[in-house]
Amino acid sequence: MTSQPAGPAPRPSANRVFQGFRRAERLLAENRPLDALQALSPALESQPNDASVHLLAGRAYLDSAQLHRAEQAFTRVLELDPADHYARFALGKALQRQGRLGEAKGQLHLAVVMDPRPEYQEALGEVRARIASITD
């Protein structure tokens, strides 16, 4: 029996990718971000230009304290859709948790301008207060 050279890995079917995405959403809702990332892996590989896939990954990274990866995921979302106010908010939270308050303030301010939701305003207020306490 002759072996054939290994070719590229087969691409997951669209249905498998969709099911993985939905499963990742459920796992994230159950506070299982690492399992969500595993379920989301086929979608991340096969859908590199899908903002919703990167947004879900960013949320899972943020929930699992993988802050640099969360930052990368939210930045990718904003490259694909600069008007995504939630991605700006979440990027601001990731930056805040890394202690990068000036950058966080900028992203949170943009999120508030784009959509003045109370949670965005509250996050911006927290960062402003923390910056003020450090500079006093």
Side-chain angles (χ1 to χ4, degrees):
M1 181 176 200
T2 60
S3 66
Q4 296 188 355
R11 292 183 61 124
S13 72
N15 188 43
R16 182 171 169 245
V17 169
F18 179 76
Q19 288 176 349
F21 182 87
R22 291 295 179 218
R23 183 167 184 266
E25 287 180 318
R26 286 191 304 276
L27 289 165
L28 196 55
E30 295 170 3
N31 265 344
R32 295 173 55 193
L34 297 176
D35 292 331
L37 285 165
Q38 186 175 22
L40 193 58
S41 181
L44 282 168
E45 291 173 16
S46 67
Q47 305 295 320
N49 296 319
D50 188 325
S52 63
V53 171
H54 290 283
L55 190 64
L56 187 58
R59 291 176 48 214
Y61 288 131
L62 192 61
D63 287 357
S64 62
Q66 297 180 62
L67 303 177
H68 184 68
R69 287 185 174 176
E71 177 186 351
Q72 290 175 322
F74 295 130
T75 298
R76 180 67 178 137
V77 172
L78 292 170
E79 289 169 356
L80 297 167
D81 181 7
D84 189 317
H85 57 85
Y86 179 80
R88 293 215 179 267
F89 165 73
L91 176 57
K93 294 298 284 182
L95 293 167
Q96 177 186 7
R97 288 178 60 187
Q98 292 178 67
R100 294 163 56 192
L101 300 178
E103 294 170 83
K105 178 183 166 191
Q107 291 300 326
L108 292 169
H109 177 76
L110 286 171
V112 167
V113 168
M114 295 167 89
D115 188 340
R117 294 176 184 215
E119 60 267 29
Y120 296 1
Q121 293 177 27
E122 183 177 320
L124 178 58
E126 288 173 8
V127 168
R128 284 179 173 160
R130 187 148 172 232
I131 290 171
S133 72
I134 292 170
T135 59
D136 284 348

